[in-house]
Amino acid sequence: MNRSECVCVVDDDISVREAIVAAVRAEGWDASGFSSAKDFLSHPARQNAACLVLDVDLPDISGLALQSQLQAADDRLPIIFVTGFGDIPMSVRAIKAGAVDFLTKPFDAGELIDAIRRAFGIKAMLAQGEGQNAEGSSAFDGIIGASAPLQHVLGHIKRVAPTDTTVLIQGETGTGKERLARAVHALSARRNGPFIRVNCASIPGPLLESELMGHEKGAFTGALARRVGRFELADGGTIFLDEIGEMALELQPKLLRLLQEKEFERVGGSRTIRADVRVVAATNRDLRKMAEERTFREDLYYRLSAFPITVPPLRHRREDIEALMHHFAATCAARVGKRIEAIAPESVHRMGRYDWPGNIRELQNVVERAVILAQGPTLDVPAPGEPASSIVEDSPPLSQGLADVSRAHILRVLDETNWVIAGPNGAAARLAMNRSTLNFRMKKLGIVRPPRGER
Ligand SMILES: Nc1ncnc2c1ncn2[C@@H]1O[C@H](COP(=O)(O)OP(=O)(O)OP(=O)(O)O)[C@@H](O)[C@H]1O
Ligand SMILES: [Mg+2]
């Protein structure tokens, strides 16, 4: 994205719109909000749009109608749809019509930012001429790292991708599991079919079944219309079961049957539905251990781990750190319109010594923050934990929607780290914040540590 471009957000709900705009700006990108498709179409900022975050359900012209209108005009702006829980049939159409992603409310800021990054990637690819990504190693474009451990993993991915084998990607948080899951899809014969991600951790347990398999009208209170599930949506493509370790035990036998038989019934329905779907799952938990401890079904574990891949943590491939720093500095500088010519050697050494509990995502955050704060052409990257995160305190008050998403994210990390804040494996390090910033944020968001028994 170059300097004059911006992310355009069309949503009639002002709180959602403002939360999205704020999250995009917090990333250092330009953003404009519009309350309707008409507003967007008639506004001059439209010419500078680099990507569109679009609510499906809009008052005058619907999101889908806007999408077809843009297509008719041969405007290939990448579109990320935002949908409510009941909108799956619409997202099927949106994806078939070429939307690059869709997010189901409520989503967190991280998911949104990742989707926007992918949209930028797609836009750049279109600009370079299509087709290049259709085969071969270009599916690994943007995956940085020449270290032996990473190359070993990429070799496995290349081999397993063209088969229909179920792949289980394990690795610590931020190691690139989702990135690699997408590469599996892109290197398979299903690459032109849908890639459907399901975050098993963010969909409430009771909703997950109908989310995966769909439901018939009247299946339960509130099921006002039939809904197509994600498995059906992924027909002909790949379903990515992210955070599979968080899936409720009661649901696991159903998933097992689905994987074995490739068929299922919608909740409240009797007709058996078949879907031709390739499964890729990911988790940062130790599923084998969970299976031994009976917190994850053993039979499902074996089924999922037909082809297990373990992504090495960044501290086991330190030789990749420097290349990653250059990559993130260059892409971020281009996005925010800054000139970065070099990275201070001392910064590279400093980064090489750090342990990176948050892995590549943490490194990316640290480098991008440094680029945003940079005053000259030589980038100095402060060690994580040093007070570079003052921008967090200085930023304008969080709008409620954004406060909610960051609250959920912080709570999740606190939970994962057992409420340990300091230290290399603590929550502050994982969030790439210093300790006092995290304490400040927690206070501001009303997060208090629960008594030991309730954790
Ligand atoms: N090898 C790589 N080269 C460049 N960027 C990478 C690489 N691996 C991961 N990234 C980037 O790092 C970020 C985190 O990656 P990703 O979301 O795939 O991690 P994850 O393992 O799924 O994390 P989590 O466990 O937190 O869900 C993304 O922005 C991704 O594009
Ligand atoms: Mg992930």
Side-chain angles (χ1 to χ4, degrees):
M1 185 161 119
N2 59 41
R3 187 179 207 124
S4 57
E5 287 182 316
C6 79
V7 174
C8 290
V9 181
V10 187
D11 197 315
D12 56 325
D13 181 334
I14 181 166
S15 59
V16 174
R17 185 170 75 234
E18 286 188 345
I20 294 178
V21 166
V24 172
R25 289 193 180 140
E27 210 48 33
W29 300 323
D30 203 1
S32 310
F34 305 90
S35 60
S36 72
K38 266 194 199 137
D39 245 24
F40 167 72
L41 286 169
S42 59
H43 199 280
R46 179 193 159 188
Q47 305 307 327
N48 299 326
C51 123
L52 191 57
V53 179
L54 184 57
D55 186 16
V56 171
D57 193 18
L58 286 169
D60 51 357
I61 307 170
S62 78
L64 288 174
L66 176 59
Q67 180 185 30
S68 19
Q69 212 165 317
L70 291 173
Q71 262 168 354
D74 205 26
D75 185 338
R76 294 199 274 171
L77 190 59
I79 299 179
I80 298 165
F81 275 103
V82 173
T83 70
F85 259 125
D87 286 336
I88 298 247
M90 293 231 229
S91 16
V92 182
R93 275 189 283 154
I95 288 211
K96 285 197 174 142
V100 298
D101 221 324
F102 72 88
L103 301 170
T104 310
K105 291 177 200 169
F107 50 85
D108 64 42
E111 281 179 86
L112 171 73
I113 298 304
D114 284 350
I116 294 176
R117 279 212 179 96
R118 275 195 298 277
F120 291 156
I122 289 167
K123 187 161 187 272
M125 202 178 85
L126 287 174
Q128 277 169 17
E130 276 175 294
Q132 292 180 358
N133 212 31
E135 27 210 282
S137 60
S138 47
F140 290 149
D141 273 0
I143 296 187
I144 307 298
S147 67
L150 184 71
Q151 288 302 320
H152 183 74
V153 164
L154 296 183
H156 281 177
I157 289 204
K158 241 188 235 169
R159 245 172 293 148
V160 75
T163 73
D164 257 351
T165 313
T166 299
V167 179
L168 175 65
I169 305 177
Q170 292 184 275
E172 291 177 13
T173 180
T175 45
K177 297 184 293 296
E178 179 169 352
R179 192 77 184 65
L180 295 174
R182 287 178 188 275
V184 170
H185 175 70
L187 286 169
S188 76
R190 297 169 176 273
R191 69 176 78 95
N192 295 321
F195 177 92
I196 303 294
R197 172 175 178 257
V198 182
N199 185 346
C200 302
S202 76
I203 299 172
L207 280 179
L208 193 57
E209 184 178 3
S210 91
E211 192 70 21
L212 287 175
M213 296 167 213
H215 64 240
E216 295 296 339
K217 186 173 170 180
F220 46 84
T221 327
L224 299 179
R226 165 196 286 177
R227 184 209 283 185
V228 176
R230 304 262 177 142
F231 262 92
E232 245 180 296
L233 199 59
D235 192 23
T238 306
I239 193 158
F240 174 43
L241 302 174
D242 204 2
E243 319 268 11
I244 186 79
E246 315 304 318
M247 179 179 264
L249 261 173
E250 321 74 271
L251 203 59
Q252 294 182 11
K254 290 188 178 152
L255 178 64
L256 182 65
R257 177 178 159 226
L258 206 154
L259 298 183
Q260 280 167 341
E261 295 165 20
K262 307 255 169 188
E263 57 180 44
F264 57 94
E265 286 97 39
R266 294 193 186 117
V267 178
S270 51
R271 191 163 67 86
T272 301
I273 297 168
R274 296 192 155 271
D276 166 31
V277 174
R278 200 264 180 90
V279 177
V280 179
T283 180
N284 55 15
R285 310 269 295 259
D286 184 345
L287 274 198
R288 181 200 296 266
K289 197 160 148 240
M290 288 179 74
E292 280 165 10
E293 290 167 354
R294 300 280 181 265
T295 49
F296 196 86
R297 280 186 70 113
E298 201 171 20
D299 44 9
L300 179 60
Y301 166 66
Y302 284 117
R303 185 87 207 175
L304 287 172
S305 57
F307 194 99
I309 287 180
T310 302
V311 193
L314 192 53
R315 63 184 173 282
H316 291 168
R317 43 175 162 139
R318 291 183 191 271
E319 58 269 50
D320 289 339
I321 292 177
E322 185 170 358
L324 284 163
M325 288 176 74
H326 282 285
H327 170 72
F328 293 134
T331 45
C332 178
R335 248 179 5 237
V336 301
K338 277 198 174 168
R339 256 176 72 129
I340 301 289
E341 286 164 4
I343 299 179
E346 180 42 35
S347 294
V348 176
H349 291 145
R350 206 181 288 141
M351 302 292 107
R353 287 193 301 265
Y354 180 65
D355 252 3
W356 301 108
N359 293 293
I360 299 190
R361 183 179 295 107
E362 185 184 7
L363 177 66
Q364 179 173 8
N365 287 341
V366 166
V367 172
E368 293 192 342
R369 185 166 299 158
V371 170
I372 291 166
L373 295 174
Q375 306 282 346
T378 301
L379 187 68
D380 181 36
V381 190
E386 278 178 15
S389 30
S390 55
I391 44 171
V392 176
E393 277 100 334
D394 293 340
S395 56
L398 297 167
S399 66
Q400 197 49 47
L402 184 63
D404 282 343
V405 288
S406 56
R407 188 169 195 278
H409 182 56
I410 290 175
L411 274 169
R412 196 179 129 198
V413 173
L414 283 167
D415 192 43
E416 283 169 356
T417 55
N418 259 325
W419 291 77
V420 174
I421 291 182
N425 295 316
R430 283 224 199 174
L431 290 160
M433 287 180 188
N434 70 37
R435 234 166 76 190
S436 57
T437 305
L438 178 55
N439 281 324
F440 170 86
R441 286 291 284 276
M442 285 168 64
K443 210 186 275 167
K444 191 156 159 182
L445 295 166
I447 299 175
V448 276
R449 184 187 178 120
R452 198 161 279 278
E454 289 170 27
R455 261 182 262 151

